[in-house]
Amino acid sequence: MPADIPVSVFKTIDARRDELVELTRQLIDFPTVNPPGEAYRPCAEFIGRRLETRGFRIAYVRAEGTPGDNDRYPRTNVVARREGGVPGPCVHFNSHIDVVETGSGWTVDPFAGVVKSGKLFGRGACDMKGGLAASIVAIEALIDCVADLPGVLEISGTVDEESGGYGGVHYLAERGWFSPPRVDHVIIPEPLNVDRVCIGHRGVWWAEIETLGRIAHGSMPFLGDCAVRHMNAVLDRFERDLYPKLLARNTDMPVVPSGARHSTLNINSIHGGQAEQASGFPAPCVPDSCRMVIDRRLLIEESIDSAKGEVIDLLNRLAGDRAGFAYRIRDLFEVVPIMADRDGPVASATAQAIRRVIGRDPEFVCSPGTYDQKHIDRVGKLKDCIAYGPGILDLAHKPDEYVLIDDMVTSAKVMALAAWSLLHTTA
Ligand SMILES: [Zn+2]
């Protein structure tokens, strides 16, 4: 193994600062808004064409039949692979190319890639086209400066992360694109700050709880049974019996922000009785149905079954205590909590690279939400995966989202060094 990465790699990345900005602007220029999944194919092809010139073999994989896929909005993913002269491990950089809707409140054109005082603005600048561009420039610099690079480099641009990843990483993982021995280490350049290594994320359970009542005339509510009042009893029990328990539960996961180091439960929505109407009066009725969507986030110490059991027990106890109480519960979505080993190859190579490039100790963190690591871990059965990339997580999905240009350059150096180290490590 050569003693050290050639300094020319870092110098090249510095010299390509403007190119990195330009590449990010070009990526932002594709309005890859999801839903519906706009401009996926041209964006994927843009990435493929660029990497082809560096000797990558390009595959376009359309996730046919996945949610939202049709000829108008094809779920087109790109996977680029470059094999070195000497066999060795495969290091893969995976970025999602989709962005969320712009929303209101922008002071700049969200797809123009405006540059102002060291910041590059645009929808996806932070989450995560800045990270994608940084990984491309990092790997190109490595290829251009190191003649005898061993092993395999892969870069993918995948779709639908913002809507669960089923047409993107999940689809590819199911077909072996993210499994050993094809791939050994994965870095996902999500915006988690340049000095943090994200080793995992909490789990999720979404469910709809419906309380049932009996319809009657609203002037004689005693003749019916109000589903909204039953739901109120559920909320009451949540406040009394569930929230204190969730708050008392602590985790070994280094979740940021620290408020998310407990189990949490959000009430996403609640609705009872007639549909809300824009005009006119409603008819007087006792509601016979009230529906509530809950969003329970799980710690690595918890299982989805135990989280479900806790809520179902509470509802069953209420049914025993409260006259007329009846409910239904329906699962909507679930993700298991994931945490990679912080001493694993990809986490330690990235941490080392942060120490070397930035000169300070990295922070190991976990995300309060989820991202595509779940599919790589659960479906691809590849554990050596982390998220590392430029950008401030809090800016994701906001108006005037931006990424600091300095951070993109710094993270590109970290990515190049981490990849170099992983490629030169024999298992
Ligand atoms: Zn993202």
Side-chain angles (χ1 to χ4, degrees):
M1 165 170 171
D4 204 359
I5 187 171
V7 238
S8 56
V9 175
F10 297 144
K11 286 190 177 149
T12 301
I13 291 171
D14 276 326
R16 291 180 185 171
R17 180 188 177 91
D18 290 347
E19 192 189 324
L20 174 52
V21 171
E22 190 48 35
L23 173 58
T24 313
R25 297 185 68 219
Q26 287 170 316
L27 290 166
I28 290 171
D29 189 48
F30 293 99
T32 48
V33 176
N34 174 28
E38 194 69 61
Y40 282 171
R41 189 160 56 197
C43 185
E45 286 171 352
F46 169 79
I47 297 164
R49 275 197 306 274
R50 177 169 178 130
L51 291 171
E52 210 165 14
T53 63
R54 288 302 204 294
F56 281 83
R57 219 170 52 239
I58 311 297
Y60 297 104
V61 184
R62 175 173 165 184
E64 277 187 68
T66 57
D69 176 72
N70 54 51
D71 288 342
R72 169 75 185 83
Y73 299 112
R75 272 39 206 169
T76 307
N77 298 279
V78 58
V79 184
R81 180 176 175 94
R82 181 186 181 278
E83 299 186 7
V86 184
C90 172
V91 181
H92 184 119
F93 288 84
N94 165 251
S95 297
H96 65 84
I97 59 171
D98 58 320
V99 298
V100 295
E101 60 172 313
T102 52
S104 54
W106 286 78
T107 62
V108 294
D109 177 345
F111 298 108
V114 172
V115 176
K116 238 182 350 195
S117 19
K119 297 169 179 166
L120 170 51
F121 291 85
R123 177 50 91 220
C126 159
D127 184 11
M128 59 178 288
K129 288 172 170 172
L132 168 58
S135 69
I136 292 173
V137 167
I139 294 316
E140 288 174 346
L142 208 53
I143 292 166
D144 294 349
C145 300
V146 187
D148 48 356
L149 211 51
V152 182
L153 286 164
E154 284 192 345
I155 296 178
S156 60
T158 52
V159 304
D160 285 355
E161 189 275 343
E162 299 290 3
S163 53
Y166 294 98
V169 172
H170 184 268
Y171 186 89
L172 292 169
E174 270 188 326
R175 285 156 184 79
W177 291 84
F178 282 102
S179 297
R182 185 194 154 83
V183 181
D184 298 285
H185 317 285
V186 179
I187 295 177
I188 303 177
E190 286 275 10
L192 287 143
N193 300 6
V194 283
D195 55 355
R196 283 170 164 180
V197 178
C198 182
I199 53 176
H201 54 70
R202 296 194 301 173
V204 181
W205 173 48
W206 286 354
E208 183 191 77
I209 297 169
E210 181 180 16
T211 50
L212 305 167
R214 212 171 50 250
I215 194 165
H217 197 288
S219 67
M220 299 169 285
F222 46 86
L223 296 181
D225 188 10
C226 179
V228 173
R229 290 181 64 189
H230 286 310
M231 190 59 88
N232 178 56
V234 174
L235 288 170
D236 222 41
R237 289 288 169 104
F238 275 8
E239 294 295 341
R240 195 189 79 186
D241 298 341
L242 188 58
Y243 278 113
K245 259 205 248 173
L246 301 182
L247 191 61
R249 222 165 267 162
N250 292 303
T251 181
D252 282 337
M253 297 179 99
V255 189
V256 285
S258 58
R261 280 180 203 172
H262 310 278
S263 313
T264 56
L265 176 73
N266 182 51
I267 310 290
N268 271 16
S269 66
I270 189 161
H271 180 82
Q274 295 161 29
E276 283 150 33
Q277 44 196 43
S279 63
F281 288 119
C285 287
V286 176
D288 58 359
S289 162
C290 182
R291 285 173 295 111
M292 168 166 79
V293 173
I294 58 170
D295 176 352
R296 171 78 156 80
R297 300 292 166 139
L298 293 88
L299 309 172
I300 194 85
E301 294 83 358
E302 299 181 297
S303 70
I304 290 179
D305 283 348
S306 68
K308 285 182 186 176
E310 196 168 45
V311 169
I312 291 167
D313 283 352
L314 179 147
L315 294 169
N316 288 342
R317 279 200 305 278
L318 193 53
D321 296 349
R322 184 179 168 86
F325 184 84
Y327 75 94
R328 284 198 280 248
I329 186 162
R330 188 163 68 92
D331 292 332
L332 298 177
F333 180 62
E334 53 190 63
V335 172
V336 293
I338 297 292
M339 190 162 66
D341 183 1
R342 68 178 76 188
D343 299 319
V346 72
S348 34
T350 308
Q352 276 297 353
I354 290 171
R355 277 186 205 103
R356 162 92 177 269
V357 172
I358 306 179
R360 54 176 184 263
D361 272 335
E363 190 187 352
F364 289 95
V365 299
C366 283
S367 164
T370 90
Y371 53 93
D372 278 334
Q373 187 169 346
K374 56 185 177 265
H375 302 311
I376 293 168
D377 181 298
R378 294 279 291 175
V379 184
K381 309 272 182 251
L382 176 55
K383 304 285 171 195
D384 202 41
C385 174
I386 57 145
Y388 170 78
I392 302 160
L393 185 59
D394 297 7
L395 297 177
H397 301 196
K398 285 199 176 155
D400 284 353
E401 172 184 349
Y402 68 83
V403 63
L404 285 171
I405 295 166
D406 281 347
D407 281 358
M408 285 201 291
V409 174
T410 303
S411 73
K413 293 178 189 170
V414 170
M415 290 184 218
L417 177 53
W420 186 89
S421 308
L422 289 163
L423 290 176
H424 287 90
T425 307
T426 39

